[in-house]
Amino acid sequence: MLVRAITAPGLRRWCRGGRGAAAACFPLGRALLGVRGAEAAVFLQGLLTNDVTQLVAEGDAPAALYAHALNVQGRCLYDVILYRLHRSTAEEPHILLECDSSVLDSIQKHLKLYKIRRKVTITPCPDLSLWAVIPGGQPGDTSALPKCADQALLVTPDPRAEVMGWRLIAKKGANLSEIIPGSQVGDVQDYHRHRYKQGIPEGVKDLPPGVALPLESNLAFMNGISFTKGCYIGQELTARTHHMGVIRKRLLPVSFPAPPASPGIPEGAEILTESGKRAGKFRAGGGELGIALLRLAHANEPLCINLGGDRVKLSATTPQWWPKAAAT
């Protein structure tokens, strides 16, 4: 298995926080698929929203790409992150595909349906583990790099947004303290709370298959789409929406004054304005934080959800990492 260490200056900043702060490593329940072969990138190019050929381009090719697989109606089926494992264009393309573990079987069937005669092999990677690495504080000592031992396969910035830190792929059972000295293993629920606070969707709860639209899900903000790559499944509606420039709803982080009582807010619960107008739908959350698809016209208003005869108040915010022109 190829060992690749990313030693960019940014890795020093993320993994070495301020004095007393440690990077938190969160074990993710996402699945990994290996897509390997001479036509791996060309094969994925026709199925995903981003320009996958970047991963096999000469020069400074990215180590990771974010993308969605869409259905023919232009709605999201799967959110994925692609990782480049080959070191150069002289090597056979080897790409890892990260997806929600609950759709591992269906995404394999989806890929094999379109594989036809492509020179590509598609295999699950149960021997690998996936971690999110979130910084523990302000940049501190940058003189010492984390040592990516041979237990680590890949360390790379999360391609969606800088606030999401780094993605780390390691062998099962790897010792994280050896790969990132001083790091601590965190509760994955804290990772999801961090995502919700930043408005970053991930998985089928946040992006219901066949329901979520990529641009309403902020795919363009998260570097997950190319508008110049050419045809792919679901491109027509997505391109038309982009060129019209009219997006009336977006996924936004929401918060409650206190964590809702058990069993919490049901997925898909309708969100209303104080005057009773429909403002959107709740997607998912944890504690007092969550993510919701909201009409931008009502995003800055006081909002509520009717739950069992009670009115639960909530409010939405615009993530700071969004482009300034996109502020609601």
PDB file of all heavy atoms in Angstrom, residues 22 66 85 99 104-105 118 173-174 199-200 231 241 245-246 248 255 261 299-300 306 327:
ATOM      1  N   ALA A  22      -4.697  20.622  21.527  1.00  0.00           N
ATOM      2  CA  ALA A  22      -4.305  19.467  20.717  1.00  0.00           C
ATOM      3  C   ALA A  22      -5.276  19.298  19.563  1.00  0.00           C
ATOM      4  O   ALA A  22      -6.454  19.619  19.672  1.00  0.00           O
ATOM      5  CB  ALA A  22      -4.275  18.207  21.574  1.00  0.00           C
ATOM      6  N   TYR A  66     -13.962  17.118  -3.791  1.00  0.00           N
ATOM      7  CA  TYR A  66     -15.330  16.883  -3.318  1.00  0.00           C
ATOM      8  C   TYR A  66     -16.253  16.878  -4.525  1.00  0.00           C
ATOM      9  O   TYR A  66     -16.038  17.613  -5.493  1.00  0.00           O
ATOM     10  CB  TYR A  66     -15.730  17.993  -2.353  1.00  0.00           C
ATOM     11  CG  TYR A  66     -17.131  17.880  -1.796  1.00  0.00           C
ATOM     12  CD1 TYR A  66     -17.548  16.747  -1.114  1.00  0.00           C
ATOM     13  CD2 TYR A  66     -18.042  18.932  -1.941  1.00  0.00           C
ATOM     14  CE1 TYR A  66     -18.828  16.656  -0.591  1.00  0.00           C
ATOM     15  CE2 TYR A  66     -19.319  18.847  -1.418  1.00  0.00           C
ATOM     16  CZ  TYR A  66     -19.713  17.714  -0.742  1.00  0.00           C
ATOM     17  OH  TYR A  66     -20.979  17.624  -0.234  1.00  0.00           O
ATOM     18  N   LEU A  85      -4.212   8.495  -4.853  1.00  0.00           N
ATOM     19  CA  LEU A  85      -3.172   7.722  -4.189  1.00  0.00           C
ATOM     20  C   LEU A  85      -1.925   7.554  -5.051  1.00  0.00           C
ATOM     21  O   LEU A  85      -0.834   7.329  -4.513  1.00  0.00           O
ATOM     22  CB  LEU A  85      -3.702   6.339  -3.781  1.00  0.00           C
ATOM     23  CG  LEU A  85      -4.831   6.331  -2.752  1.00  0.00           C
ATOM     24  CD1 LEU A  85      -5.106   4.907  -2.295  1.00  0.00           C
ATOM     25  CD2 LEU A  85      -4.499   7.216  -1.564  1.00  0.00           C
ATOM     26  N   CYS A  99     -17.612   7.587   0.851  1.00  0.00           N
ATOM     27  CA  CYS A  99     -19.057   7.772   0.772  1.00  0.00           C
ATOM     28  C   CYS A  99     -19.698   7.401   2.102  1.00  0.00           C
ATOM     29  O   CYS A  99     -19.056   6.817   2.978  1.00  0.00           O
ATOM     30  CB  CYS A  99     -19.649   6.925  -0.361  1.00  0.00           C
ATOM     31  SG  CYS A  99     -19.502   5.135  -0.094  1.00  0.00           S
ATOM     32  N   LEU A 104     -23.023   2.113   0.668  1.00  0.00           N
ATOM     33  CA  LEU A 104     -21.872   1.465   0.035  1.00  0.00           C
ATOM     34  C   LEU A 104     -22.309   0.482  -1.047  1.00  0.00           C
ATOM     35  O   LEU A 104     -21.772   0.485  -2.165  1.00  0.00           O
ATOM     36  CB  LEU A 104     -21.029   0.746   1.087  1.00  0.00           C
ATOM     37  CG  LEU A 104     -19.803  -0.020   0.557  1.00  0.00           C
ATOM     38  CD1 LEU A 104     -18.839   0.912  -0.151  1.00  0.00           C
ATOM     39  CD2 LEU A 104     -19.101  -0.760   1.684  1.00  0.00           C
ATOM     40  N   ASP A 105     -23.296  -0.356  -0.749  1.00  0.00           N
ATOM     41  CA  ASP A 105     -23.742  -1.331  -1.749  1.00  0.00           C
ATOM     42  C   ASP A 105     -24.375  -0.653  -2.957  1.00  0.00           C
ATOM     43  O   ASP A 105     -24.104  -1.018  -4.107  1.00  0.00           O
ATOM     44  CB  ASP A 105     -24.746  -2.310  -1.123  1.00  0.00           C
ATOM     45  CG  ASP A 105     -24.093  -3.266  -0.137  1.00  0.00           C
ATOM     46  OD1 ASP A 105     -22.861  -3.419  -0.204  1.00  0.00           O
ATOM     47  OD2 ASP A 105     -24.815  -3.846   0.698  1.00  0.00           O
ATOM     48  N   ARG A 118     -14.989  -0.322 -19.373  1.00  0.00           N
ATOM     49  CA  ARG A 118     -13.878   0.503 -18.883  1.00  0.00           C
ATOM     50  C   ARG A 118     -12.827  -0.349 -18.181  1.00  0.00           C
ATOM     51  O   ARG A 118     -13.159  -1.325 -17.484  1.00  0.00           O
ATOM     52  CB  ARG A 118     -14.395   1.557 -17.904  1.00  0.00           C
ATOM     53  CG  ARG A 118     -15.343   2.587 -18.505  1.00  0.00           C
ATOM     54  CD  ARG A 118     -14.595   3.611 -19.311  1.00  0.00           C
ATOM     55  NE  ARG A 118     -15.476   4.713 -19.697  1.00  0.00           N
ATOM     56  CZ  ARG A 118     -15.129   5.675 -20.536  1.00  0.00           C
ATOM     57  NH1 ARG A 118     -13.920   5.656 -21.077  1.00  0.00           N
ATOM     58  NH2 ARG A 118     -15.961   6.642 -20.838  1.00  0.00           N
ATOM     59  N   GLY A 173      -6.468   0.062  12.853  1.00  0.00           N
ATOM     60  CA  GLY A 173      -5.685  -0.148  14.056  1.00  0.00           C
ATOM     61  C   GLY A 173      -4.484   0.748  14.184  1.00  0.00           C
ATOM     62  O   GLY A 173      -3.668   0.574  15.096  1.00  0.00           O
ATOM     63  N   ALA A 174      -4.350   1.748  13.299  1.00  0.00           N
ATOM     64  CA  ALA A 174      -3.193   2.652  13.356  1.00  0.00           C
ATOM     65  C   ALA A 174      -3.199   3.454  14.649  1.00  0.00           C
ATOM     66  O   ALA A 174      -4.255   3.783  15.197  1.00  0.00           O
ATOM     67  CB  ALA A 174      -3.207   3.580  12.158  1.00  0.00           C
ATOM     68  N   GLY A 199     -22.317  24.522   8.893  1.00  0.00           N
ATOM     69  CA  GLY A 199     -23.236  24.337   7.772  1.00  0.00           C
ATOM     70  C   GLY A 199     -22.714  23.423   6.688  1.00  0.00           C
ATOM     71  O   GLY A 199     -23.019  23.607   5.510  1.00  0.00           O
ATOM     72  N   ILE A 200     -21.931  22.398   7.070  1.00  0.00           N
ATOM     73  CA  ILE A 200     -21.351  21.458   6.110  1.00  0.00           C
ATOM     74  C   ILE A 200     -22.186  20.175   6.097  1.00  0.00           C
ATOM     75  O   ILE A 200     -22.194  19.426   7.079  1.00  0.00           O
ATOM     76  CB  ILE A 200     -19.893  21.113   6.465  1.00  0.00           C
ATOM     77  CG1 ILE A 200     -19.024  22.368   6.500  1.00  0.00           C
ATOM     78  CG2 ILE A 200     -19.335  20.073   5.490  1.00  0.00           C
ATOM     79  CD1 ILE A 200     -18.656  22.937   5.152  1.00  0.00           C
ATOM     80  N   CYS A 231     -20.222  17.229 -20.088  1.00  0.00           N
ATOM     81  CA  CYS A 231     -21.409  16.470 -19.679  1.00  0.00           C
ATOM     82  C   CYS A 231     -21.131  15.470 -18.566  1.00  0.00           C
ATOM     83  O   CYS A 231     -20.078  14.842 -18.514  1.00  0.00           O
ATOM     84  CB  CYS A 231     -21.982  15.729 -20.884  1.00  0.00           C
ATOM     85  SG  CYS A 231     -22.614  16.826 -22.160  1.00  0.00           S
ATOM     86  N   THR A 241     -29.649  26.054 -13.649  1.00  0.00           N
ATOM     87  CA  THR A 241     -29.852  26.788 -12.394  1.00  0.00           C
ATOM     88  C   THR A 241     -28.703  27.747 -12.138  1.00  0.00           C
ATOM     89  O   THR A 241     -28.903  28.900 -11.732  1.00  0.00           O
ATOM     90  CB  THR A 241     -29.989  25.805 -11.219  1.00  0.00           C
ATOM     91  OG1 THR A 241     -31.050  24.894 -11.483  1.00  0.00           O
ATOM     92  CG2 THR A 241     -30.256  26.541  -9.920  1.00  0.00           C
ATOM     93  N   GLY A 245     -28.787  31.935 -12.204  1.00  0.00           N
ATOM     94  CA  GLY A 245     -28.353  32.676 -11.024  1.00  0.00           C
ATOM     95  C   GLY A 245     -29.427  32.843  -9.962  1.00  0.00           C
ATOM     96  O   GLY A 245     -29.325  33.731  -9.110  1.00  0.00           O
ATOM     97  N   VAL A 246     -30.474  32.017  -9.972  1.00  0.00           N
ATOM     98  CA  VAL A 246     -31.563  32.143  -9.013  1.00  0.00           C
ATOM     99  C   VAL A 246     -31.608  30.907  -8.114  1.00  0.00           C
ATOM    100  O   VAL A 246     -32.011  29.821  -8.554  1.00  0.00           O
ATOM    101  CB  VAL A 246     -32.921  32.320  -9.720  1.00  0.00           C
ATOM    102  CG1 VAL A 246     -34.041  32.444  -8.687  1.00  0.00           C
ATOM    103  CG2 VAL A 246     -32.895  33.532 -10.629  1.00  0.00           C
ATOM    104  N   ARG A 248     -33.186  30.118  -4.499  1.00  0.00           N
ATOM    105  CA  ARG A 248     -34.055  30.701  -3.473  1.00  0.00           C
ATOM    106  C   ARG A 248     -33.948  30.008  -2.125  1.00  0.00           C
ATOM    107  O   ARG A 248     -34.388  30.556  -1.110  1.00  0.00           O
ATOM    108  CB  ARG A 248     -35.508  30.668  -3.958  1.00  0.00           C
ATOM    109  CG  ARG A 248     -35.765  31.570  -5.168  1.00  0.00           C
ATOM    110  CD  ARG A 248     -37.249  31.605  -5.530  1.00  0.00           C
ATOM    111  NE  ARG A 248     -37.507  32.581  -6.573  1.00  0.00           N
ATOM    112  CZ  ARG A 248     -37.419  32.337  -7.883  1.00  0.00           C
ATOM    113  NH1 ARG A 248     -37.064  31.117  -8.289  1.00  0.00           N
ATOM    114  NH2 ARG A 248     -37.672  33.281  -8.771  1.00  0.00           N
ATOM    115  N   SER A 255     -29.694  26.815  15.005  1.00  0.00           N
ATOM    116  CA  SER A 255     -29.446  26.525  16.419  1.00  0.00           C
ATOM    117  C   SER A 255     -30.715  26.760  17.225  1.00  0.00           C
ATOM    118  O   SER A 255     -31.557  27.592  16.870  1.00  0.00           O
ATOM    119  CB  SER A 255     -28.305  27.395  16.963  1.00  0.00           C
ATOM    120  OG  SER A 255     -28.619  28.773  16.840  1.00  0.00           O
ATOM    121  N   ALA A 261     -35.978  18.374  23.488  1.00  0.00           N
ATOM    122  CA  ALA A 261     -36.243  17.194  24.316  1.00  0.00           C
ATOM    123  C   ALA A 261     -36.232  15.940  23.457  1.00  0.00           C
ATOM    124  O   ALA A 261     -36.562  15.980  22.268  1.00  0.00           O
ATOM    125  CB  ALA A 261     -37.584  17.344  25.022  1.00  0.00           C
ATOM    126  N   ALA A 299     -34.615  33.550   6.028  1.00  0.00           N
ATOM    127  CA  ALA A 299     -33.508  33.014   6.827  1.00  0.00           C
ATOM    128  C   ALA A 299     -33.136  33.899   8.013  1.00  0.00           C
ATOM    129  O   ALA A 299     -32.635  33.390   9.028  1.00  0.00           O
ATOM    130  CB  ALA A 299     -32.281  32.799   5.944  1.00  0.00           C
ATOM    131  N   ASN A 300     -33.369  35.202   7.914  1.00  0.00           N
ATOM    132  CA  ASN A 300     -32.986  36.104   8.998  1.00  0.00           C
ATOM    133  C   ASN A 300     -34.127  36.386   9.972  1.00  0.00           C
ATOM    134  O   ASN A 300     -33.983  37.194  10.889  1.00  0.00           O
ATOM    135  CB  ASN A 300     -32.471  37.425   8.420  1.00  0.00           C
ATOM    136  CG  ASN A 300     -31.160  37.235   7.655  1.00  0.00           C
ATOM    137  OD1 ASN A 300     -30.308  36.448   8.069  1.00  0.00           O
ATOM    138  ND2 ASN A 300     -31.009  37.931   6.537  1.00  0.00           N
ATOM    139  N   ASN A 306     -43.316  23.406  14.971  1.00  0.00           N
ATOM    140  CA  ASN A 306     -44.395  22.906  15.825  1.00  0.00           C
ATOM    141  C   ASN A 306     -44.136  21.439  16.116  1.00  0.00           C
ATOM    142  O   ASN A 306     -44.102  20.612  15.214  1.00  0.00           O
ATOM    143  CB  ASN A 306     -45.748  23.092  15.143  1.00  0.00           C
ATOM    144  CG  ASN A 306     -46.143  24.558  15.058  1.00  0.00           C
ATOM    145  OD1 ASN A 306     -45.795  25.354  15.941  1.00  0.00           O
ATOM    146  ND2 ASN A 306     -46.861  24.936  14.014  1.00  0.00           N
ATOM    147  N   ALA A 327     -23.800  36.105   1.346  1.00  0.00           N
ATOM    148  CA  ALA A 327     -24.410  36.318   2.644  1.00  0.00           C
ATOM    149  C   ALA A 327     -25.898  36.604   2.496  1.00  0.00           C
ATOM    150  O   ALA A 327     -26.307  37.370   1.620  1.00  0.00           O
ATOM    151  CB  ALA A 327     -23.721  37.466   3.372  1.00  0.00           C
TER     152      ALA A 327
END
